[in-house]
């Protein structure tokens, strides 16, 4: 079973994807890390985020084990990832690795922005996770505070608005729900309630496929 989870920054998609992977004993790929690691590699090589050739080379040569995940998870790296992710040729360089991951025997859970639309349009289950910008900013603020980063709620909310606009407005694989995705708004849901709803969606989709 392939489960595709898409949604904007801090919508709760990562947590849901991890929990679904645990429940169904499937491997999980957080595809945002690939874009974050590409941005980090460009920084390390002193290259500009708009340098297409360098971005392609970085994407092709990615080894996630070479990066400190805490560094990849910072606000700055999320912002930089969103900038490089708008380069179509760089996205192309990451497609095959993501598809290979999805094709593992037994399936996989992938989360990102374009999993249900571009990477795995044939996914068995597609969930598009949303939440209001204010709720997402609050969640991101808590997450960053827990990691010891300095938190400025206003700046985080502004970042989220900017990131939504960039990720949804780009020409290449923009953030959008696949027509056959189930929508899950987590604004008013606890993590457990959102997970229960996701399980219900998976059951319902599987039932439909087996009917
Ligand atoms: O999910 P995240 O916040 O870690 O993603 C960081 C950025 O990477 C996001 O703003 C846009 C880009 N991204 C993408 O374009 N496609 C994906 N499948 C995953 C992430």
């Amino acid at each position: 079973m392939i489960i595709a989870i898409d949604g904007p920054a801090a919508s709760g998609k990562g947590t849901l994807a991890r929990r679904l992977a645990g429940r169904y004993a499937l491997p999980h790929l957080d595809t945002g890390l690939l874009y974050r690691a590409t941005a980090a590699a460009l920084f390390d090589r002193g290259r500009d985020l708009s340098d297409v050739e360098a971005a392609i080379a970085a994407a092709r040569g990615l080894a996630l084990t070479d990066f400190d995940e805490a560094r990849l998870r910072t606000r700055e790296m999320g912002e930089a990832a969103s900038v490089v992710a708008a380069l179509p040729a760089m996205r192309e360089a990451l497609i095959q690795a993501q598809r290979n991951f999805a094709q593992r025997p037994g399936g996989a859970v992938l989360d990102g922005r374009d999993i249900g639309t571009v990477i795995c349009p044939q996914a068995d289950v597609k969930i598009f996770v949303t939440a209001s910008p204010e709720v997402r900013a609050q969640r991101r603020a808590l997450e960053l505070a827990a990691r010891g980063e300095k938190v400025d709620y206003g700046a985080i909310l502004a970042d989220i608005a900017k990131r939504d606009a960039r990720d949804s407005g780009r020409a290449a694989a923009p953030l959008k729900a696949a027509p056959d995705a189930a929508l899950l708004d987590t604004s008013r849901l606890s993590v457990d309630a959102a997970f229960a709803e996701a399980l219900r969606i998976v059951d319902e989709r599987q039932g439909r496929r087996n009917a």
Side-chain angles (χ1 to χ4, degrees):
M1 171 170 64
I2 298 176
I3 304 180
I5 315 272
D6 289 302
S11 55
K13 65 184 187 314
T15 306
L16 273 182
R18 248 189 325 276
R19 289 188 66 169
L20 286 170
R23 169 60 65 103
Y24 296 105
L26 293 171
H28 167 223
L29 180 63
D30 171 351
T31 62
L33 280 181
L34 304 176
Y35 295 88
R36 288 169 183 260
T38 302
L42 289 177
F43 282 136
D44 290 348
R45 293 168 197 178
R47 298 306 190 104
D48 201 88
L49 293 175
S50 60
D51 184 334
V52 181
E53 292 310 317
I56 294 171
R60 288 207 179 119
L62 271 192
L64 283 179
T65 43
D66 293 347
F67 293 92
D68 167 15
E69 191 172 330
R71 176 183 177 219
L72 296 187
R73 298 266 178 216
T74 57
R75 202 180 120 205
E76 289 69 24
M77 219 48 90
E79 187 58 25
S82 164
V83 173
V84 289
L87 303 172
M90 176 272 170
R91 302 191 67 84
E92 284 285 323
L94 290 177
I95 288 182
Q96 203 51 50
Q98 294 175 83
R99 290 194 176 143
N100 290 346
F101 190 93
Q103 290 310 322
R104 290 180 181 203
V109 180
L110 287 85
D111 77 85
R113 303 290 187 290
D114 61 343
I115 308 303
T117 50
V118 174
I119 304 299
C120 300
Q122 83 295 4
D124 303 285
V125 180
K126 298 181 187 179
I127 305 178
F128 193 81
V129 186
T130 58
S132 72
E134 291 75 17
V135 167
R136 289 188 280 133
Q138 267 160 14
R139 288 183 188 151
R140 201 30 61 96
L142 287 174
E143 218 177 276
L144 294 176
R147 261 186 258 135
E149 281 197 56
K150 208 168 115 263
V151 171
D152 173 347
Y153 174 78
I156 293 173
L157 185 59
D159 257 15
I160 281 188
K162 201 160 60 164
R163 202 115 83 81
D164 283 357
R166 197 188 292 117
D167 292 349
S168 308
R170 69 183 177 220
L175 165 69
K176 67 166 188 247
D180 53 346
L183 300 184
L184 174 49
D185 185 339
T186 66
S187 302
R188 292 163 186 275
L189 300 180
S190 66
V191 173
D192 285 344
F195 181 53
E197 182 56 17
L199 288 178
R200 194 197 59 71
I201 292 168
V202 174
D203 281 351
E204 187 224 8
R205 297 282 154 135
Q206 279 186 311
R208 224 190 268 176
R209 288 177 66 82
N210 297 333

